[in-house]
Amino acid sequence: MSEIDPGAEDRSERARKLFAGPIAFLKSAPALQHLPPPSAPEIAFAGRSNVGKSSLLNALTNRNGLARTSVTPGRTQELNYFDVGNPLVFRLVDMPGYGFAKAPKDVVRKWRFLVNDYLRGRQVLKRTLVLIDSRHGIKDVDREVLEMLDVAAVSYRLVLTKTDKIKATDLAAVQAATEAEARKHPAAHPEVIATSSEKGMGIAELRAAVLEAVES
């Protein structure tokens, strides 16, 4: 029987209050020289262009328009920063989506340089949350990013999205397969969080996981 973390319930409540409080868009950074000063812990969100990253960020912060959802996957090619808490407690970083088939090669190359440099050089980056569409599971393009994170020695955690779109039996299989993949990667957190932006499933757990990473 696994031990219960005595601070988990307290952390969940603190996370709920924190995400219900002040959260504001800070800036978009198209290149490293535009990053804000490394004055607070950062939690980054990564995922394929159509994985539902903006919707999840909006659900996490309980704000409909915080992260812009684009009808054109792969449109965001900047690091978007959001301040959480006043006074500032930590920052959320919305990373450009990857795996977009229609993007020009120079855009893809620019994405790789920006993301790789950010991951390798950002000392205040506490954890990256890599979003995986539960309908499709982990694809090769996701594995490339996981390997990039492993090489950069950045702690990351896999998060399943759009879980309301598949049957419970299918979700259980996808979650098991995703956790098996996570165990192959040295920088990956062993537990996978299953979420649904539309139904609110896993959102409270994800908030607590973000705060846990910030405080680790």
Side-chain angles (χ1 to χ4, degrees):
M1 186 171 146
S2 62
E3 290 182 21
I4 295 170
D5 178 1
E9 193 172 327
D10 170 57
R11 188 184 297 116
S12 294
E13 179 58 16
R14 284 188 293 116
R16 185 191 67 76
K17 287 180 178 174
L18 197 55
F19 278 100
I23 299 176
F25 172 73
L26 175 64
K27 68 182 301 187
S28 292
L32 292 193
Q33 63 263 37
H34 300 290
L35 296 183
S39 54
E42 294 174 4
I43 303 292
F45 287 73
R48 290 203 308 275
S49 299
N50 54 355
V51 77
K53 187 152 48 69
S54 296
S55 298
L56 187 65
L57 274 164
N58 289 335
L60 189 72
T61 57
N62 209 17
R63 288 158 173 81
N64 284 334
L66 188 76
R68 294 189 303 271
T69 52
S70 172
V71 292
T72 312
R75 214 167 101 183
T76 304
Q77 290 307 307
E78 300 171 336
L79 298 168
N80 291 314
Y81 271 81
F82 303 92
D83 284 353
V84 180
N86 186 12
L88 178 64
V89 179
F90 63 91
R91 289 185 169 123
L92 301 176
V93 186
D94 183 10
M95 294 169 66
Y98 58 80
F100 30 88
K102 294 176 182 173
K105 282 184 180 175
D106 61 327
V107 171
V108 177
R109 191 165 60 247
K110 184 184 170 192
W111 178 91
R112 274 200 164 278
F113 281 129
L114 175 64
V115 169
N116 216 346
D117 289 349
Y118 168 72
L119 293 174
R120 285 173 176 274
R122 198 65 171 168
Q123 290 182 328
V124 290
L125 177 60
K126 289 286 197 168
R127 181 160 292 163
T128 298
L129 299 172
V130 182
L131 312 189
I132 304 292
D133 190 327
S134 61
R135 299 170 300 179
H136 308 302
I138 293 181
K139 294 189 172 290
D140 286 342
V141 68
D142 297 312
R143 289 188 182 91
E144 285 179 28
V145 172
L146 303 189
E147 284 165 18
M148 188 190 288
L149 288 160
D150 288 335
V151 170
V154 172
S155 167
Y156 62 93
R157 187 164 186 169
L158 300 177
V159 177
L160 293 174
T161 63
K162 305 183 182 183
T163 59
D164 57 297
K165 308 283 192 229
I166 64 173
K167 292 187 288 191
T169 48
D170 293 339
L171 175 57
V174 169
Q175 184 148 2
T178 308
E179 287 179 346
E181 179 75 33
R183 286 194 290 272
K184 298 176 187 174
H185 294 271
H189 191 289
E191 293 171 11
V192 171
I193 300 175
T195 67
S196 162
S197 301
E198 280 191 27
K199 306 292 185 187
M201 175 183 165
I203 299 301
E205 186 185 351
L206 185 59
R207 287 177 185 144
V210 167
L211 187 57
E212 181 187 10
V214 166
E215 296 177 340
S216 64

